[in-house]
Amino acid sequence: GRWHPPGWLGIATAIGILLLAIALTVQIAAGNIAEVVQGAPLYQQRLQEMFNQGMAFAARVLKLKEVPTFSALVAEVDFGIWIERFAAAFRVIAQELIQVFIYVGFLLLELRTFDVKLKAVFPDPGRQERLRATLKAMGRKIEHYVLIKTGICALNATLSYIILSMFGVDFAGFWALLTFVLNYIP
């Protein structure tokens, strides 16, 4: 329309929406992680039962004299290494996420002075117009790509949620959120 908000308001709104999206994502993930921790003993018991049934079947088929136990298998696994790896991966993801937000913040802050810098680098008005047209075309294509990518990811996450819920999978919302987020990774 005719009304255009001031630049600072647009930047503040964009940063606010970005922070809100991060907060919601963290809240959903944290809530689900807490539920997983709370339900861990039940999952461990189910896993032990499934393992014991599988080993009993394998022992019958392979005619084994001794059936491997779940506790023997767990004793062979070094959980310290797995926890360290998980923590390291989480740390790297958090660092890169913070770096992306810093870049986005700087880009949003630089919008105010872009015209001044453009005129300093390209004093010829004809070159300025060509560059603006090129940047505008690139912006439209990037917006189009992100819009399509977001739509596909949302559709994928929604279908995942519906299917997981139909089959009674625990934490279907978390898995759908994870599906949505990981679909952005090429």
Side-chain angles (χ1 to χ4, degrees):
R2 292 184 178 167
W3 182 77
H4 293 283
W8 64 268
L9 181 61
I11 291 172
T13 303
I15 291 173
I17 290 171
L18 186 63
L19 291 176
L20 180 65
I22 293 167
L24 287 173
T25 303
V26 167
Q27 184 66 29
I28 291 170
N32 280 287
I33 289 172
E35 288 181 31
V36 168
V37 168
Q38 196 174 29
L42 177 64
Y43 290 116
Q44 181 180 357
Q45 181 182 358
R46 286 184 188 167
L47 183 62
Q48 285 177 342
E49 290 170 2
M50 288 172 45
F51 179 82
N52 290 338
Q53 289 172 354
M55 285 297 109
F57 176 75
R60 282 193 306 271
V61 170
L62 300 174
K63 300 185 185 341
L64 298 175
K65 293 179 184 178
E66 261 187 66
V67 179
T69 64
F70 186 77
S71 55
L73 177 68
V74 170
E76 295 294 322
V77 177
D78 186 1
F79 287 105
I81 291 174
W82 286 99
I83 291 170
E84 285 178 23
R85 289 179 182 168
F86 178 74
F90 185 74
R91 189 171 36 253
V92 167
I93 290 170
Q95 288 171 345
E96 290 184 7
L97 191 61
I98 289 169
Q99 187 177 10
V100 166
F101 292 131
I102 289 171
Y103 285 149
V104 168
F106 278 125
L107 287 171
L108 289 173
L109 291 173
E110 286 293 313
L111 283 175
R112 296 180 305 163
T113 60
F114 182 73
D115 282 338
V116 174
K117 291 177 182 178
L118 183 66
K119 288 176 185 175
V121 174
F122 299 104
D124 176 35
R127 288 185 75 186
Q128 285 179 23
E129 268 317 301
R130 285 192 302 273
L131 181 61
R132 284 182 199 278
T134 302
L135 291 174
K136 195 172 187 175
M138 287 171 53
R140 279 194 309 269
K141 288 180 181 183
I142 291 170
E143 286 174 8
H144 187 75
Y145 168 78
V146 170
L147 183 65
I148 290 172
K149 186 74 169 171
T150 302
I152 290 172
C153 291
L155 180 63
N156 220 354
T158 303
L159 290 174
S160 296
Y161 177 77
I162 291 169
I163 291 169
L164 291 172
S165 295
M166 283 177 22
F167 284 101
V169 174
D170 293 339
F171 316 111
F174 175 73
W175 294 118
L177 175 66
L178 195 61
T179 300
F180 179 83
V181 171
L182 294 179
N183 267 312
Y184 272 98
I185 300 171

